[in-house]
Amino acid sequence: MKRDLIKLSIITFLLLFLHNTVKSQIDSSINFVTDRPGMATSTDIITSRCFQVEDGFQFEKIYNENLSNKNFLFSSLLLRYGIVKNVELRLQTDYVYNIVTDNINTFSIYGFNPITIGTKIQIFEQKKFIPDVSFLFNLVIPFWGKKEFIPNNFAPSFTLLMSNDISEKLNLCYNYGIFWDGTSSVPNHFYAICFGINFSKKWNAFIEGYGFTNPQTNSLFYIDVGSSYLINKRFQIDFSVSRRLNSSLNYYCLNTGIAWQI
């Protein structure tokens, strides 16, 4: 636990350092875009030389008659920095607390997930029916974090991001990605489609479907609904809930968080 607190202190120091570095570079005309909430990732790139913090709390439960698996993410932290007009850098990690209970015993484990570094690159802007298109690359680094959570190898992922503004209030976002878990050489596939509605300039909601497929395991399908609200031009709060659609196991996930442009 002491080591985890030291790591958390280092992250806090880095946030404060970056805040002082980029605070003077923020302009009132900068557009505030987030990747929270939901599983689908937007095509939007944050403005050049802008720094953004997106953080959240998540509770996930999988259960049946004999087993209960509770997974808490006390901090699901994503840091984004725009380096040029159409490219941003990303760094992500989570602090996990996992509790597994069967009919006899309870087991728990907690610590940091490994760090994920990545970049998002905008390729096309929407023109009529041609969608916005961006590319997201992430790489899980197998050197930092709780030993039990660290993969055996580097774990890359590649995701194609697309979106269309249907009207001023309606939009559609859809993703397809392929990723490795750092243990198996067989890739996993991810897909998501998200329908969003803007009730006002500050308040919006969404419903999305997403899933994971692997040739060696059963496919998993989910549905997710949520909403976000802009407190001001630089600060957003959000909430979402998801359910699994195709499993005999009962499952639900609650997620709430913030996005803050510093």
Side-chain angles (χ1 to χ4, degrees):
M1 176 66 77
K2 183 177 179 181
R3 183 176 297 177
D4 291 336
L5 291 175
I6 293 173
K7 292 176 179 177
L8 191 59
S9 298
I10 292 173
I11 291 175
T12 303
F13 172 79
L14 290 173
L15 285 174
L16 293 173
F17 174 78
L18 287 170
H19 170 266
N20 291 329
T21 302
V22 304
K23 182 178 180 181
S24 61
Q25 299 172 347
I26 301 300
D27 184 85
S28 61
S29 63
I30 289 176
N31 188 32
F32 181 38
V33 296
T34 76
D35 281 348
R36 291 192 56 90
M39 289 295 293
T41 301
S42 75
T43 58
D44 294 320
I45 307 293
I46 63 173
T47 306
S48 174
R49 296 187 297 175
C50 179
F51 177 68
Q52 193 159 299
V53 179
E54 301 183 18
D55 198 9
F57 168 83
Q58 178 175 295
F59 172 68
E60 181 183 47
K61 184 175 181 180
I62 306 171
Y63 59 99
N64 57 24
E65 293 180 356
N66 302 314
L67 185 70
S68 171
N69 188 337
K70 299 178 182 178
N71 200 43
F72 298 85
L73 297 183
F74 287 111
S75 179
S76 182
L77 181 66
L78 171 64
L79 307 179
R80 304 169 63 190
Y81 183 73
I83 54 173
V84 294
K85 180 181 178 181
N86 295 322
V87 181
E88 67 177 53
L89 295 180
R90 303 160 67 92
L91 184 147
Q92 184 172 4
T93 190
D94 313 294
Y95 189 84
V96 181
Y97 193 94
N98 181 247
I99 304 172
V100 178
T101 304
D102 58 23
N103 291 330
I104 301 174
N105 299 307
T106 297
F107 310 91
S108 64
I109 185 171
Y110 55 86
F112 280 98
N113 269 329
I115 285 178
T116 299
I117 60 172
T119 183
K120 188 197 288 189
I121 303 169
Q122 187 177 45
I123 302 173
F124 298 114
E125 293 185 1
Q126 180 177 344
K127 292 183 179 180
K128 296 183 178 180
F129 297 106
I130 300 175
D132 280 334
V133 180
S134 295
F135 175 77
L136 176 65
F137 168 74
N138 281 322
L139 183 66
V140 179
I141 307 298
F143 302 136
W144 188 89
K146 184 74 172 180
K147 181 176 69 174
E148 290 80 357
F149 300 153
I150 296 176
N152 297 329
N153 303 291
F154 287 94
S157 66
F158 307 88
T159 308
L160 187 64
L161 317 173
M162 292 169 283
S163 67
N164 291 84
D165 288 330
I166 302 172
S167 69
E168 290 185 359
K169 293 185 177 294
L170 304 177
N171 60 79
L172 186 67
C173 176
Y174 38 107
N175 302 166
Y176 172 75
I178 183 170
F179 66 95
W180 285 261
D181 60 12
T183 301
S184 171
S185 60
V186 178
N188 299 278
H189 300 264
F190 166 78
Y191 54 88
I193 182 167
C194 178
F195 179 77
I197 179 170
N198 299 313
F199 296 112
S200 68
K201 291 183 178 180
K202 291 188 174 183
W203 179 34
N204 66 74
F206 72 93
I207 180 170
E208 69 178 351
Y210 62 95
F212 303 89
T213 63
N214 184 305
Q216 298 180 341
T217 60
N218 293 329
S219 299
L220 299 173
F221 306 103
Y222 302 82
I223 188 169
D224 192 14
V225 295
S227 182
S228 62
Y229 185 81
L230 276 173
I231 301 296
N232 57 46
K233 293 181 178 180
R234 298 285 183 264
F235 193 84
Q236 173 189 283
I237 59 174
D238 61 67
F239 175 80
S240 64
V241 58
S242 62
R243 295 281 298 183
R244 186 180 293 174
L245 298 180
N246 69 319
S247 173
S248 59
L249 293 175
N250 291 308
Y251 172 92
Y252 67 88
C253 178
L254 305 175
N255 194 309
T256 185
I258 64 168
W260 179 30
Q261 190 179 86
I262 299 176

